[in-house]
Amino acid sequence: MEKDLKEFSISDSLWAKIETQLPRYQTSHLGGRPRVSSLRPITEGILYKLRTGCQWKSLPRPYGNAATVHRYFKQWIVSGVLDKVWALAMQEHRDSAMARGRQRVSI
């Protein structure tokens, strides 16, 4: 399963760009469970879901709990973060296709 997910991994260069667009979450003064330490698997899970069209409950485990990934997805839709992340991902896709010598890029 892990090998199959490599094609859905975010490159380090793309992650560096995406990470600057993500919100900075503060620790709640009310306590509770801390947020996930890295948003990279969450981001990869969201992009995996968008690319494959799978159901949230079918999201592969390496991306984290499906409910958690879905909660971030909903928050990022409302705040406009997902639009920025998607635009960066599509730009990298176009750039890599052009680097491979393709004239037309279809997404």
Side-chain angles (χ1 to χ4, degrees), residues 14-67:
L14 177 57
W15 176 245
K17 295 173 191 172
I18 288 174
E19 196 172 25
T20 64
Q21 301 300 313
L22 300 179
R24 302 284 182 241
Y25 295 103
Q26 301 296 321
T27 307
S28 172
H29 67 283
L30 301 174
R33 187 177 199 142
R35 288 194 178 259
V36 293
S37 58
S38 172
L39 293 175
R40 188 170 185 162
I42 299 289
T43 306
E44 288 180 340
I46 291 171
L47 294 176
Y48 176 90
K49 160 67 169 114
L50 294 174
R51 188 168 172 197
T52 65
C54 74
Q55 296 178 346
W56 284 108
K57 64 182 180 182
S58 300
L59 196 67
R61 192 70 186 143
Y63 299 128
N65 179 281

Side-chain angles (χ1 to χ4, degrees), residues 54-96:
C54 74
Q55 296 178 346
W56 284 108
K57 64 182 180 182
S58 300
L59 196 67
R61 192 70 186 143
Y63 299 128
N65 179 281
T68 301
V69 178
H70 185 244
R71 186 174 63 249
Y72 278 94
F73 173 77
K74 291 189 300 185
Q75 290 172 359
W76 293 357
I77 286 283
V78 171
S79 66
V81 169
L82 190 60
D83 291 334
K84 296 174 188 174
V85 169
W86 188 252
L88 289 168
M90 291 302 95
Q91 184 60 49
E92 173 148 310
H93 175 73
R94 285 185 208 98
D95 292 349
S96 66

